[in-house]
Amino acid sequence: MKHNLTMSEQKNLSPVEKIKTESNGLRGTLEESLSDQYTGALREQDQQLVKFHGMYQQDDRDRREERNQKKLEWLYSYMIRLRIPGGLISPEQWVGLHHIAGQYSTGTIKITTRQTVQLHGILKSQTKPTIKSFNTLHLDSIAACGDVNRNVTCTSHPSESPLHEKVHAFASKISELCLPKTTAYYEIWLDEEQIEEKKNPEDPLYQNRYLPRKLKIGIAVPPNNDVDVFINDIALIAIIEDGELKGFNIGAGGGLGATHGNAATYARLASIFGFLDSEEKVLKAVYEIITVQRDYGNRSDRKLSRLKYTIDRLGVEEYKRLVEERCGFQFEKARSYEFTQRKDRYGWEQNHEGKWYFTLFVESGRVLDEGEYSLKTGLLRVAETGKANFRFTCNQNLILADILPEDKEVIETILQEHGISDYTNRASALRKNSIACVAFNTCSLALAEAQRYLPSLITKIEPILEKYGLQNDDIIIRMTGCPNGCGRSPNAEIGLIGTAYGKYNLHLGGDRLGTRLNSKYKENLEEAQILETLDSLFSDYSKNRTSEETFGDFTLRTIFKN
Ligand code: SRM
Ligand code: SF4
């Protein structure tokens, strides 16, 4: 294990490092870039900085060729991602979001794998009005992207535990603690005047260099690991004993991104440091895990700069020791807990206070009206009643939440009128356990399709499952358009990872609960080969599995342990 970075690694800072330190508190020349009407793009350094404000410059990849032929600039637009710790918004906020999506973006509301929403296709001139409109709803996009802490996730369903609300509130506290201190967002997007001395307040967490790379924090409330807690840079598991929240187990070093052909990059699950018994200590530990990554992380090679690489370079024990030294206290031995599932609790459920929840399946997290299925309109009608909150899940689904018993019928009627409850009830188990990342046409890193393709592939897999009587098996299938793992394909039971247009590596052997990564089984499969391979695997599974053995465990035993 290499402990220290070499001199050249310390000196050869990546170009993004210079952009951050010279950005004047993440301002750069964003104002100038935004007012330049001759291009839909931002200046190069501002394309990096705008991420810290929750935005990505993108282009319509479906139209690149046409634009090239016409010798036109690519069709640039912006994706805005909101910061919604724990993924909870009010009905009023959903109504506002619906209208903002219609006015400024493609209209589709995309629920992400980190429990928030994104809007795509916003023109440069419309970015400011969009952010301003969100601000009137008390929603912001600060630090939703960039080399800072991202949206903090938390188990979504309040029925998981009577203590859910308490744990859920902690996600917002962590998010607040980790916000950058610069006032740039308010000046650039909301035109707020600031006096000079207040513009760049001291930022002891991020200083002026921010983190070497993005950082993610997730909180799980056992028994559900719906947040996929171990894929986070910092993983928190609520420890509930005798009906009391005793504290949290804390781990660090999760992350799923890798690069095809670069063996130095890999997916990794978080290593557990131990248990802490108070919110105060947990906040301190989270803070110091971040400062260690800030000070020891690799700033020369962005492919190797996530916390997972720092922890493997230093060693888990040394990383933990550094955190303890900075905290002034030690981690206790990790407490026991049990995860029994990671899927969402579809349909109606009631919590301990008698409130009702309807979890609806949103395929690939895309809320839109499509053909006969008017999901977006139906959800607007639900929101307009003011009788349900909206909770996003890390499986890209939506919970209509906190509904009083006397309001349930009104909501149920709207869901039925718009085919929403029916759609969720009818979707197959495989479909309801699927995730696909965005990929084409907006993701600049996509090598293959994902959200536009997985639904039709599942339609072809469903009859194969039925042939072997496996249609009710909760097999977790995930597809990503590249190995970055945004749809968490590296810890699915069936992971399909894009290698080129129409081609995927097939990964198998992940477990159902998200505590084990999968491994590559076959490379560069086209659709026919995927179907043929799955057919043979399902046949084998149906005949030779041991009782209660999941598909992931079966493939691990019969393929990788043979
Ligand atoms: Fe992601 C980059 C979309 C969750 C790992 N991710 C991207 C970008 C921004 C592409 C880019 O850099 O230009 C994608 C924008 C696509 C688009 O058009 O909208 C993108 N990531 C997404 C979302 C929207 C996928 C989805 O369909 O839901 C998810 C947004 C989450 C959010 O709300 O914050 C999303 N990304 C994830 C996850 C899963 C998670 O966090 O639970 C991962 C794996 C976990 C991890 O971080 O390791 C993930 N995204 C990446 C990576 C790989 C990072 C790495 O360590 O190598 C990249 C590429 C990068 O950062 O260079 C990336
Ligand atoms: Fe884009 Fe790859 Fe992430 Fe999919 S996994 S959204 S293709 S970066």
Side-chain angles (χ1 to χ4, degrees), residues 437-440 443-448 450 480-487:
C437 72
V438 179
F440 284 93
C443 178
S444 62
L445 306 174
L447 304 169
T480 52
C482 83
N484 281 321
C486 299

Side-chain angles (χ1 to χ4, degrees), residues 421-437:
S421 30
D422 224 37
Y423 183 83
T424 294
N425 296 337
R426 272 191 291 114
S428 70
L430 185 74
R431 203 175 285 278
K432 281 196 276 209
N433 285 302
S434 70
I435 293 183
C437 72

Side-chain angles (χ1 to χ4, degrees), residues 253-274:
L256 297 181
T259 305
H260 288 311
N262 182 347
T265 64
Y266 49 84
R268 186 186 191 284
L269 296 180
S271 311
I272 295 294
F273 284 173

Side-chain angles (χ1 to χ4, degrees), residues 204-475:
L205 180 59
Y206 296 122
Q207 303 171 343
N208 70 343
R209 52 193 178 138
Y210 299 89
L211 299 180
R213 206 62 159 81
K214 58 171 76 162
L215 188 129
K216 297 178 174 179
I217 303 175
I219 311 174
V221 182
N224 201 340
N225 186 24
D226 60 335
V227 294
D228 254 327
V229 73
F230 298 108
I231 66 87
N232 288 275
D233 296 82
I234 302 180
L236 300 178
I237 300 161
I239 300 297
I240 296 169
E241 291 166 3
D242 306 324
E244 264 182 63
L245 178 63
K246 300 286 184 191
F248 294 84
N249 281 352
I250 301 196
L256 297 181
T259 305
H260 288 311
N262 182 347
T265 64
Y266 49 84
R268 186 186 191 284
L269 296 180
S271 311
I272 295 294
F273 284 173
F275 169 80
L276 291 174
D277 65 4
S278 72
E279 275 198 3
E280 205 187 345
K281 281 188 184 166
V282 175
L283 287 174
K284 179 71 178 156
V286 164
Y287 191 92
E288 298 302 357
I289 291 173
I290 299 176
T291 65
V292 172
Q293 160 66 353
R294 180 196 65 204
D295 298 342
Y296 289 79
N298 183 331
R299 288 180 186 262
S300 65
D301 184 348
R302 287 181 67 77
K303 293 257 180 233
L304 303 177
S305 52
R306 289 291 292 273
L307 195 155
K308 62 183 173 182
Y309 300 114
T310 315
I311 213 167
D312 280 345
R313 183 163 40 79
L314 296 175
V316 174
E317 283 310 311
E318 174 61 4
Y319 200 112
K320 181 176 153 185
R321 191 194 64 74
L322 287 166
V323 174
E324 288 179 335
E325 191 175 86
R326 291 178 180 206
C327 284
F329 55 76
Q330 300 204 319
F331 291 94
E332 293 173 34
K333 190 168 166 292
R335 297 271 179 100
S336 60
Y337 61 89
E338 193 187 10
F339 286 130
T340 55
Q341 62 171 16
R342 91 176 132 151
K343 67 171 184 177
D344 289 334
R345 303 164 73 120
Y346 290 108
W348 283 108
E349 286 231 11
Q350 204 168 15
N351 80 346
H352 62 287
E353 291 172 319
K355 289 182 187 160
W356 283 97
Y357 297 82
F358 186 83
T359 305
L360 58 115
F361 170 56
V362 183
E363 191 148 36
S364 310
R366 301 168 85 194
V367 176
L368 71 166
D369 289 340
E370 208 173 18
E372 302 279 280
Y373 186 39
S374 52
L375 172 65
K376 194 173 166 210
T377 306
L379 292 178
L380 177 66
R381 286 203 45 214
V382 169
E384 282 169 346
T385 66
K387 295 179 191 302
N389 285 321
F390 284 62
R391 288 178 183 267
F392 308 116
T393 83
C394 289
N395 290 312
Q396 301 173 316
N397 292 315
L398 181 61
I399 306 174
L400 298 173
D402 314 309
I403 300 164
L404 297 175
E406 58 269 32
D407 298 331
K408 183 175 174 237
E409 205 181 315
V410 181
I411 305 296
E412 174 65 28
T413 306
I414 299 173
L415 294 180
Q416 275 173 11
E417 281 170 3
H418 291 269
I420 295 174
S421 30
D422 224 37
Y423 183 83
T424 294
N425 296 337
R426 272 191 291 114
S428 70
L430 185 74
R431 203 175 285 278
K432 281 196 276 209
N433 285 302
S434 70
I435 293 183
C437 72
V438 179
F440 284 93
N441 61 329
T442 50
C443 178
S444 62
L445 306 174
L447 304 169
E449 296 279 356
Q451 70 178 17
R452 299 198 298 194
Y453 171 53
L454 185 61
S456 67
L457 182 68
I458 288 180
T459 304
K460 292 175 185 162
I461 299 175
E462 282 164 345
I464 306 177
L465 284 166
E466 273 177 42
K467 189 164 76 176
Y468 299 112
L470 297 171
Q471 63 276 12
N472 297 322
D473 205 310
D474 274 319
I475 298 170

